[in-house]
Amino acid sequence: MSDKIKILYLGTNRVYMNPTIQLIYKAVGVSTDMTCYGPGFQSDKVLSNGVCEFVSENGPFDFVLTDGVVLFFKNLKPFSTSYNYFDINSIENVVNDMRSYFKSCTLKKLFYPAIDYYNVTKEEIKVIEDSNSYLITWGIEFHEYLDQCEDTKYESFMGKDENDNWINFVSRNESKIISIPQIIDNSEFNFLPLSSRKYEISVPGASYYRRREAVKQLNKSQFNFKMNSSHTGIKQKLWNKVIRLQNRFSFNLNQVNFRNTIEDSKIIYTCGGCLKYPIRKFLEVPALGSALFFEPFKGYEEFGFINGINSIIIDDMDQISEITKYNLNHLDELQEIATKGQALIWEKHSLFARGIQINQSLKSISIHEFKGSYWEKGEFKLR
């Protein structure tokens, strides 16, 4: 008989440009006995019978896990930007049933937010508090208060609804946090040496202020760097239109192109946007073997990055061209930095590493010893 912890995941089977939701439940399943329930996971017949009957036939379970898409379900809007393995017009009753079961059941609960952390209402916070869930999310060490995010003044998309509700909630509930700052699949690694890469430096992704400044400095540089621009500016907007086609081909094509931008480049510069997020690119870039140049995000040292050892910090944009040229002229040293960055992601932040960290937390919860978790200098620790 298996001694693995039994998990029931209540969710929806879909593909989104950011695969974190899919990877979270896969990471939970690495070291547990997990069963998935919801649209795209079970047949219409099974779903029509409801969660309670499914649990009575397939349980008992030790934990139930869900995400923000289910717990905060109001309409079908979240499914308009994903490829869904189900008919979205037939899921409302099923999702409401899953949400109701999660809120009312007596199992130990796990919740992955999948929300905009700076646009959370107090009503949503109360729903989470009332559920008495343990949270799989970024720990307090990776959150920055809005008044410390100076670059917000450069971004037109920042509105008036941003708030610190979430960071205040996390701060009050550190004992309930399984600190998981992003995740990357072990299949997303590339071990191609820098010397075999076509481009010298690239700045992929959304046109955030720091990235705009990096591109500006690199373009006017006397060194005439070979840059890949397939995921910047107008080209990025075209790719965004491709994504809206909402089929597996368009999603796969965009992901392949984005991945190629990184793995064809010796150096990638990125940032966490104006909110200093530990975005997924901080995992993708080292995993794909490129040298990471970056503006520090909140908690980067706790994540495990060390300037000049496994990554390179650019804190003065006027120096990015000189720093880039120096490192390209010392490619063996840069390769060592890239290799150490890749090792950090593989050992501490990959799918299998996350599975071990989550299972460690679940075992601690099961014996009533869990007091929260956090990251310190690249190490996952229980409080």
Side-chain angles (χ1 to χ4, degrees), residues 190 192-194 196-202 226-228 230 256-268 288-290:
N190 188 314
L192 184 72
L194 299 184
S196 298
R197 297 174 185 235
K198 178 179 179 181
Y199 297 101
E200 294 175 319
I201 185 169
S202 299
K226 290 180 66 176
M227 297 175 60
N228 187 337
S230 63
V256 168
N257 184 66
F258 175 75
R259 175 173 174 149
N260 287 346
T261 298
I262 296 177
E263 61 188 13
D264 285 347
S265 304
K266 294 177 175 66
I267 298 167
I268 295 289
L288 288 169
S290 299

Side-chain angles (χ1 to χ4, degrees), residues 96-115:
N96 282 329
D97 180 43
M98 292 193 296
R99 181 179 62 178
S100 176
Y101 180 86
F102 183 83
K103 292 170 71 173
S104 63
C105 77
T106 57
L107 294 173
K108 296 183 183 69
K109 299 174 186 177
L110 301 169
F111 177 63
Y112 174 69
I115 53 177

Side-chain angles (χ1 to χ4, degrees), residues 161-192:
D161 295 328
E162 284 76 18
N163 58 67
D164 288 324
N165 290 339
W166 181 258
I167 188 172
N168 290 331
F169 167 71
V170 171
S171 182
R172 295 194 306 268
N173 292 276
E174 289 186 67
S175 64
K176 307 280 281 187
I177 303 297
I178 302 174
S179 184
I180 299 297
Q182 300 289 2
I183 187 171
I184 193 163
D185 199 296
N186 290 69
S187 66
E188 297 180 71
F189 284 72
N190 188 314
F191 301 93
L192 184 72

Side-chain angles (χ1 to χ4, degrees), residues 187-340:
S187 66
E188 297 180 71
F189 284 72
N190 188 314
F191 301 93
L192 184 72
L194 299 184
S195 59
S196 298
R197 297 174 185 235
K198 178 179 179 181
Y199 297 101
E200 294 175 319
I201 185 169
S202 299
V203 188
S207 186
Y208 296 135
Y209 170 68
R210 296 287 172 176
R211 295 179 194 169
R212 297 196 300 269
E213 290 299 300
V215 171
K216 185 188 303 181
Q217 292 294 329
L218 292 166
N219 280 337
K220 72 178 186 181
S221 169
Q222 61 176 312
F223 301 119
N224 194 27
F225 295 116
K226 290 180 66 176
M227 297 175 60
N228 187 337
S229 60
S230 63
H231 258 277
T232 58
I234 294 175
K235 292 180 181 179
Q236 179 63 48
K237 292 180 180 179
L238 291 174
W239 279 111
N240 291 341
K241 290 185 177 181
V242 170
I243 296 169
R244 294 191 188 100
L245 294 175
Q246 282 185 272
N247 58 56
R248 279 177 288 183
F249 174 75
S250 64
F251 277 93
N252 291 338
L253 183 62
N254 184 71
Q255 288 176 332
V256 168
N257 184 66
F258 175 75
R259 175 173 174 149
N260 287 346
T261 298
I262 296 177
E263 61 188 13
D264 285 347
S265 304
K266 294 177 175 66
I267 298 167
I268 295 289
Y269 172 83
T270 196
C271 67
C274 62
L275 299 172
K276 304 180 183 179
Y277 274 166
I279 60 170
R280 201 167 184 271
K281 287 184 185 65
F282 292 119
L283 288 75
E284 292 170 316
V285 172
L288 288 169
S290 299
L292 175 65
F293 282 23
F294 71 109
E295 180 208 17
F297 60 89
K298 183 65 167 68
Y300 77 93
E301 292 175 303
E302 311 312 334
F303 191 89
F305 285 126
I306 304 172
N307 187 31
I309 301 297
N310 56 22
S311 56
I312 293 178
I313 291 174
I314 305 294
D315 48 18
D316 181 356
M317 198 60 73
D318 291 335
Q319 297 298 313
I320 188 171
S321 294
E322 293 290 343
I323 294 172
T324 299
K325 188 62 177 178
Y326 173 85
N327 280 278
L328 291 172
N329 287 340
H330 297 79
L331 201 59
D332 288 345
E333 296 175 17
L334 186 63
Q335 179 65 71
E336 185 174 347
I337 290 172
T339 299
K340 288 181 178 178

